[in-house]
Amino acid sequence: MQSQDVAQRHAAASTGAGGPVVDVEQAEAALVEHYPRLVRLAYLVLPPGSSRGRRVLSAHALTQRALPRGRRPASVIPAQATGRDGDPGYAFLRLQVVRTALEAARPAGPTRFRRTQLPPLLPQVWGLRLFPRSGGSDELALDQRLATLSAPARAAYVLRGLEKLSDTDVRRLLRAAGVADPGAALAEAGEVPAQDGLLTSPEFDPCSLQARPTDLMRRRQHTKAALAAAAALAVCGALVVLPGGGWGPDGAAAPAYARNPAAEAALDPARLTRVPATAWESSARTDFSVWPARGALTGDTDLLRRALAVWARPGGSVHVSATVGTPAGGPAGPPQLLYAGVVDTVRVVVLYDGLRIVRYAEEKDGGSEGGAALDVARVDGATGAEAGALVLSRSDGNVRYLTAPWVKKAAVRDLTKPDSAATALPLTDGVTAPTAGPGQQPGACASWNVLQLTDAGTTRLATDLGELVPAHLTAGRPGSPGEASGAEGRRAWAPFACSLAAERSAGVRSVNAWAYADQPLPGAGGTGSWVCTRAETWRGDGTMALAQFRTPNGKAGAVAARATDVPACGPRDPNVLAGVLWKSGTGAWYLVAAGSRDTASIRATGGITASAAGRMLTAPAKQGAQAELNGTLTNGRSISGLH
């Protein structure tokens, strides 16, 4: 019999009095991993009578609201598809998605209605219509046929075809979701021929979308009335603000609220710090303070004035984003100019005030009258690899970087393929050619692009996690890791590259991968690999440690345990202990656990009672069993399992 390896999350989670329970962290992990599939399930079950755009937003809203607020009993319905077998978090979320989608399909009464029957509050998209990519005639015919079914029958058809559930499991799930007669729903669904392959087509993928504008003429008509009503206020407001300098020079900035010499100096383009192009060659520093001003618009005083004014006083039309823990207020003094130029279809200005990087962007053809965006990121203490590049722009899934002046070569490589060659990125005045961002393909993560930078003697890797400064990737024991760019570092990262998606938009400074144990598996199952990845943040707190396990036949690793704001797996405490349930080729289940090299013994309590001397534990277990892990280090200190 071919071996089937399954790593279940949270072997160290507790068990409730009435059976297994799902906590928020376990459900969140399942939601992040299987989000595209859950949204597709919601989209297919929702009533097709509404517009495709509203149906897309409703599917995302229902899926995001499926996350529990506390501990909940695990669903009794199994998750049958590959990669989700036995995951109570996924089964719970699937039940919640089906239940709320069925509620949305029920007609609202005159006095009573449910929140799911109203348009979603979040997410919202203004000025655009979003809808999945069009399929062929077969997909259209199937969508029309599903529209004729009742909501329970439509859910039964999708659970059969998409989730591969048996009729018995479909009945149990529908009954748990509040369907009065699951048998009738199955019978009605049986009238539609099975076309399982069509359910996974782009026609029914609300995560891979096309965008079109809304009714522009109607928007203009509605805008005219608002403009006429605001005209009188604008005239009166001009009388107040024009003597102080007016709105025109400051673009999308709000009106000035204070006048003092220090504030005015900080917003004066003539006082911007401009570092000579060769300053870095003679400086002992390798940080943003020695970056020269680059770009074709460094002499555009009007553009620089707008960027400074919007940074200090962003108006209502400015989209402002800041990395977690980063103050977004204006500069205390004249900042340093790093870049000013046209990138794709926008004008971009990048500034540095010693603690933060700020990127201002405005439409190329909009000038001071168009919309603007302001992004702020914390970079205090950045040096070397952390000051090697900035994200200059993102457009259509592609990323352009602005590299440090000491960078000689730039390239992009797929972190999931450690032996593949890197693809060179041409550099023009420090700006790279556009390259696909990481994790852009729809569906399951199959690749993860990272930026490779080479200076005079070192090659480093960094990854875009949705912020201005890409995160530096390292590999090795905490406290003395090496660069992930070497062959050994790339091999350590390859099975776990897609786990970086969990660190997006979290203010991550660097991520280290530490291969801390190789564990022989029972029943001639080969050797499993344990890796701990730890993300450090710019603000200090919010660190995340993930213990991940890969079986011999597994292409990618699975998250076995996670913890935030703990010293484990870090330079202050380079120790870690974690475990998972594993199914052998003979069908027997085992608890396998491993600790770092200083672990002297391991013991399991709760649903599994076992102990072992040394850094590894293997014990027979039952499917779904949960245990608490504890260990003792060689110096006598106790550690607990990561969870």
Side-chain angles (χ1 to χ4, degrees):
M1 179 182 298
Q2 185 177 3
S3 175
Q4 177 184 3
D5 303 322
V6 178
Q8 290 193 337
R9 299 183 183 87
H10 298 288
S14 63
T15 303
V21 295
V22 177
D23 58 27
V24 175
E25 290 186 354
Q26 188 175 10
E28 182 183 15
L31 181 65
V32 170
E33 182 176 356
H34 304 297
Y35 184 80
R37 191 175 192 90
L38 290 167
V39 177
R40 184 188 292 265
L41 174 64
Y43 181 83
L44 287 165
V45 177
L46 280 169
S50 59
S51 67
R52 296 177 72 195
R54 175 173 170 180
R55 190 174 166 196
V56 164
L57 296 179
S58 296
H60 283 274
L62 296 184
T63 304
Q64 293 170 17
R65 290 206 300 268
L67 192 66
R69 296 182 180 275
R71 296 161 64 85
R72 294 289 188 273
S75 172
V76 297
I77 312 301
Q80 297 288 353
T82 302
R84 303 186 304 279
D85 186 20
D87 186 348
Y90 178 81
F92 173 84
L93 293 171
R94 181 178 58 194
L95 173 60
Q96 294 299 106
V97 167
V98 172
R99 177 183 290 134
T100 53
L102 291 175
E103 289 176 355
R106 296 172 188 150
T111 59
R112 298 184 64 185
F113 57 85
R114 293 182 179 270
R115 175 68 194 88
T116 53
Q117 295 166 330
L118 298 175
L121 294 176
L122 290 173
Q124 287 285 354
V125 178
W126 299 97
L128 287 176
R129 293 185 296 111
L130 300 179
F131 49 88
R133 299 182 182 275
S134 298
S137 58
D138 292 339
E139 286 88 344
L140 178 61
L142 177 60
D143 195 33
Q144 293 173 344
R145 189 67 182 88
L146 291 178
T148 64
L149 298 179
S150 65
R154 193 162 53 248
Y157 184 89
V158 175
L159 291 170
R160 272 176 172 173
L162 184 65
E163 291 295 292
K164 309 298 183 185
L165 294 184
S166 65
D167 285 359
T168 300
D169 289 333
V170 172
R171 286 191 184 92
R172 294 165 65 191
L173 194 151
L174 291 179
R175 188 174 294 110
V179 176
D181 192 352
L186 279 167
E188 184 181 353
E191 299 174 1
V192 180
Q195 302 182 72
D196 300 351
L198 295 182
L199 295 178
T200 59
S201 74
E203 172 79 18
F204 306 115
D205 184 3
C207 290
S208 180
L209 303 173
Q210 292 180 312
R212 294 293 185 273
T214 55
D215 190 335
L216 298 179
M217 293 303 297
R218 180 176 298 178
R219 283 166 54 187
R220 288 176 180 175
Q221 292 171 357
H222 290 174
T223 304
K224 287 180 181 178
L227 291 176
L233 290 177
V235 172
C236 294
L239 296 176
V240 175
V241 301
L242 284 177
W247 290 340
D250 292 345
Y257 52 83
R259 294 291 186 186
N260 64 74
E264 291 183 351
L267 305 183
D268 185 355
R271 300 196 182 189
L272 284 172
T273 300
R274 299 169 186 257
V275 175
T278 59
W280 65 273
E281 297 177 359
S282 57
S283 175
R285 305 180 63 138
T286 55
D287 56 18
F288 293 111
S289 68
V290 294
W291 278 36
R294 288 172 285 181
L297 300 180
T298 54
D300 190 335
T301 302
D302 292 338
L303 172 64
L304 299 178
R305 179 180 289 109
R306 291 195 296 271
L308 290 167
V310 169
W311 182 5
R313 309 184 308 276
S317 64
V318 179
H319 176 75
V320 180
S321 68
T323 299
V324 180
T326 304
Q336 177 182 342
L337 177 62
L338 302 185
Y339 182 86
V342 175
V343 182
D344 298 324
T345 60
V346 297
R347 297 187 186 94
V348 177
V349 177
V350 181
L351 303 165
Y352 171 62
D353 70 349
L355 297 174
R356 299 167 296 171
I357 292 290
V358 172
R359 182 182 63 191
Y360 168 83
E362 67 180 28
E363 297 176 6
K364 179 180 177 182
D365 299 325
S368 61
E369 298 178 358
L374 188 74
D375 301 295
V376 187
R378 184 172 175 175
V379 292
D380 48 311
T383 184
E386 296 165 345
L390 297 172
V391 174
L392 200 56
S393 74
R394 295 186 185 90
S395 177
D396 298 328
N398 294 323
V399 186
R400 286 184 187 268
Y401 298 93
L402 177 65
T403 62
W406 52 82
V407 170
K408 303 299 182 183
K409 294 188 296 183
V412 64
R413 65 164 59 250
D414 185 354
L415 196 58
T416 66
K417 299 177 177 60
D419 298 324
S420 63
T423 302
L425 285 178
L427 289 174
T428 303
D429 197 19
V431 179
T432 69
T435 181
Q440 294 295 324
Q441 69 281 356
C445 176
S447 66
W448 192 272
N449 287 345
V450 296
L451 179 66
Q452 178 174 290
L453 300 176
T454 303
D455 55 27
T458 307
T459 299
R460 300 180 173 92
L461 297 183
T463 183
D464 175 22
L465 295 180
E467 296 173 321
L468 285 182
V469 184
H472 179 210
L473 298 181
T474 59
R477 184 175 175 82
S480 57
E483 295 295 337
S485 55
E488 184 177 353
R490 297 198 306 270
R491 283 193 292 269
W493 262 112
F496 311 99
C498 289
S499 68
L500 287 166
E503 320 291 352
R504 289 187 190 271
S505 302
V508 173
R509 182 173 190 161
S510 62
V511 190
N512 182 59
W514 173 32
Y516 69 89
D518 291 323
Q519 183 171 14
L521 300 175
T527 302
S529 302
W530 286 95
V531 166
C532 185
T533 60
R534 180 181 174 91
E536 303 289 348
T537 66
W538 290 100
R539 64 190 182 277
D541 62 350
T543 59
M544 177 180 290
L546 302 179
Q548 306 189 58
F549 180 70
R550 183 170 72 100
T551 57
N553 299 328
K555 181 179 179 181
V559 177
R562 70 178 63 207
T564 57
D565 291 323
V566 297
C569 193
R572 292 183 179 274
D573 185 12
N575 296 286
V576 65
L577 171 64
V580 294
L581 291 182
W582 174 80
K583 186 179 181 182
S584 70
T586 62
W589 286 87
Y590 294 89
L591 168 66
V592 292
S596 47
R597 69 184 184 187
D598 293 331
T599 304
S601 63
I602 303 174
R603 59 190 178 278
T605 57
I608 303 171
T609 302
S611 62
R615 56 188 294 201
M616 298 179 190
L617 168 67
T618 302
K622 294 182 179 180
Q623 181 180 4
Q626 298 179 354
E628 181 177 349
L629 294 175
N630 290 280
T632 302
L633 301 180
T634 53
N635 62 5
R637 183 167 70 89
S638 296
I639 61 172
S640 59
L642 202 67
H643 60 82

